[in-house]
């Protein structure tokens, strides 16, 4: 119908689109080469019949697109979300209302979603260090491809950004999702954080009766699955560090991920299993759009300061400041107070400082297959929107 809007505006910055035609394999050829995971951090939680997440990105991105794929596109219909954080050209494409090359691959760039079987999947970053038990290998590497997981009998090789789409299109439960991803070769397109180190991805997968966390460590998949969905665990809470490495006593760089994890862990049993309970937990670990002295002390490390100097001249990394050994250092408290003053003083920020903000909060009802979404980017107003599959 002439003049019909391809992308429908829900509110300023938030849009909706429906797909009845999508070719995964054709789009994979473009996605494998063009797109790299980017971004600082996110928080995810599964509690009761719901799974939720904050999508935290660097400030300045404010376009969120909810997409629905029909059964004409895949084995199962689904809802998913993409942002201009992954696709900077997204606002222009929406304004042009055209089905260009980017439109054809957008479904593969979802950060989270749910399908008609009640299977939800969410993607998270593991920033600033190699996902490896061998710490001697941590550090920067050049642009290119790095094997995330190798199945030598597999005939398909995909960019890790495609994993969420593969699960949404084909998995009827968590077990099927795990088998699907294990049957493929996966690679990480290398990316640089502000420290020059490479990062990787991890995933939280859930259906009404199970939860799982999938991580790629040393070219192997470390998969944890639980049916005990009513207690906090590595399969019900996640942020931006490897839960597998943590179980081995290895703390990665990026202290804010641990801080947010501890905050959700503290609130998990204090809140009920309702949608409103999840909203409160995720709000407690959200990143505000603008700096304010109201920001919780827990999250002042959630910046791109890679070190801070104590009054005695010692330098601490963000991870050292989180770990217990640094907290026992006599300089620690003075260092924290000094860095907090820098954090709130705009004139003291380095030129390469990047603020993180929560662009949206998404809650998926696994039984009812409903997406509850709050658009947090400017000018967010705290309203929630519902999208039913």
């Amino acid at each position: 119908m002439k003049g019909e809007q391809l992308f429908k505006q829900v509110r300023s910055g938030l849009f909706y689109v429906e797909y009845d035609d999508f070719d995964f394999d054709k789009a994979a050829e473009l996605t494998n080469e063009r797109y790299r995971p980017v971004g600082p951090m996110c928080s995810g939680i599964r509690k009761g019949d719901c799974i939720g997440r904050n999508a935290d990105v660097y400030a300045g991105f404010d376009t969120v697109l909810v997409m629905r794929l029909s059964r004409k596109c895949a084995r199962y219909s689904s809802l998913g979300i993409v942002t201009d954080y992954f696709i900077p050209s997204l606002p222009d494409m929406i304004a042009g209302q055209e089905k260009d090359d980017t439109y054809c691959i957008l479904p593969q760039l979802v950060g989270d979603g749910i399908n008609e079987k009640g299977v939800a999947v969410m993607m998270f970053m593991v920033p600033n260090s190699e996902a490896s038990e061998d710490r001697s290998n941590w550090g920067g590497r050049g642009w290119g491809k790095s094997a995330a997981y190798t199945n030598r009998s597999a005939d398909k090789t995909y960019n890790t950004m495609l994993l969420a789409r593969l699960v949404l299109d084909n998995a009827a439960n968590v077990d099927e999702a795990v088998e699907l991803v294990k049957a493929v070769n996966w690679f990480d397109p290398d990316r640089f954080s502000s420290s020059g180190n490479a990062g990787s991805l991890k995933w939280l997968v859930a259906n009404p009766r199970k939860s799982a966390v999938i991580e790629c460590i040393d070219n192997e998949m470390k998969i944890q699955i639980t049916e005990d969905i009513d207690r906090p665990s590595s399969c019900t809470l996640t942020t931006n560090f490897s839960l597998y490495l943590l179980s081995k006593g290895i703390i990665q760089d990026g202290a804010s991920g641990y801080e947010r994890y501890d905050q959700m862990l503290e609130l998990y049993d204090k809140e009920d299993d309702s949608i409103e309970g999840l909203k409160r937990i995720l709000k407690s670990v959200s990143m505000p759009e603008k700096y304010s002295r109201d920001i919780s002390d827990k999250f002042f490390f959630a910046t791109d300061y890679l070190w801070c100097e104590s009054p005695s001249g010692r330098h601490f990394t963000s991870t050292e400041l989180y770990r217990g050994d640094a907290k026992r250092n006599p300089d620690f408290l003075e260092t924290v107070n000094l860095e907090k003053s820098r954090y709130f003083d705009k004139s003291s920020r380095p030129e390469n400082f990047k603020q993180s903000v929560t662009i949206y909060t998404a809650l998926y009802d696994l039984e009812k297959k409903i997406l509850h979404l709050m658009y947090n980017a400017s000018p967010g107003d705290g309203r929630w929107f519902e999208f039913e599959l």
Side-chain angles (χ1 to χ4, degrees), residues 165-205:
R165 179 81 268 150
L166 183 72
V167 169
L168 292 174
D169 286 357
N170 300 284
N173 51 56
V174 166
D175 293 333
E176 283 192 14
V178 169
E179 292 307 311
L180 277 167
V181 300
K182 288 171 63 177
V184 176
N185 293 308
W186 296 99
F187 72 87
D188 277 328
D190 289 349
R191 68 183 183 93
F192 287 117
S193 71
S194 56
S195 63
N197 293 338
S200 188
L201 295 174
K202 60 187 284 189
W203 300 267
L204 177 60
V205 185

Side-chain angles (χ1 to χ4, degrees), residues 146-157:
S146 175
Y149 165 75
T150 300
N151 177 346
R152 301 195 183 282
S153 64
D155 59 358
K156 299 286 188 181
T157 299

Side-chain angles (χ1 to χ4, degrees), residues 72-88:
K72 296 178 181 178
C73 302
R75 182 181 179 191
Y76 301 121
S77 60
S78 65
L79 285 171
I81 302 174
V82 299
T83 75
D84 57 338
Y85 195 51
F86 286 157
I87 316 103

